[in-house]
Amino acid sequence: MLKLAEDIEVLARFGRALADPIRCRLLLELRQAPAHPSDLAEKLGISRTRLSNHLACLRDCGLVVAIPEGRRTRYELADARLGHALDDLRAAVVTVAAERTCAEADEKGCC
């Protein structure tokens, strides 16, 4: 039972990380290739301070790691399987969204 509880907590952390559009965009960018914060801030069109807060959240969740490179830091996914998981999740969500049958989904905030 302890293993199940730990698995649920890990999944919940992953869900919290994905709950923010900027963190989703960050994870998708890092899925393509490791990057430096200045490049990520420019690609996402956000301030470095805001980016730093989101990267800290993703680091705390264990989803990204910071790799020192001299005076700079490069960020990458903590595990290559996260990239595959993001691809699979994205494909599944897009499929489900295309097939939803609830006509009032947008108004009700369900589905």
Side-chain angles (χ1 to χ4, degrees), residues 18 20-46 51 55 58 63-64 74-78 82-83 86-87 90:
L18 292 176
D20 185 274
I22 291 175
R23 289 193 295 270
C24 284
R25 291 174 59 202
L26 268 171
L27 289 169
L28 292 173
E29 283 295 328
L30 294 174
R31 174 181 72 34
Q32 293 177 21
H36 296 98
S38 58
D39 299 328
L40 289 166
E42 186 177 322
K43 282 184 181 180
L44 273 61
I46 62 173
L51 176 81
L55 285 172
L58 293 174
L63 300 176
V64 301
R74 175 177 46 96
Y75 283 84
E76 61 186 49
L77 294 178
L82 287 170
L86 288 167
D87 290 339
R90 186 175 176 191

Side-chain angles (χ1 to χ4, degrees), residues 51-62:
L51 176 81
S52 178
N53 291 333
H54 287 289
L55 285 172
C57 175
L58 293 174
R59 270 194 329 267
D60 291 345
C61 288

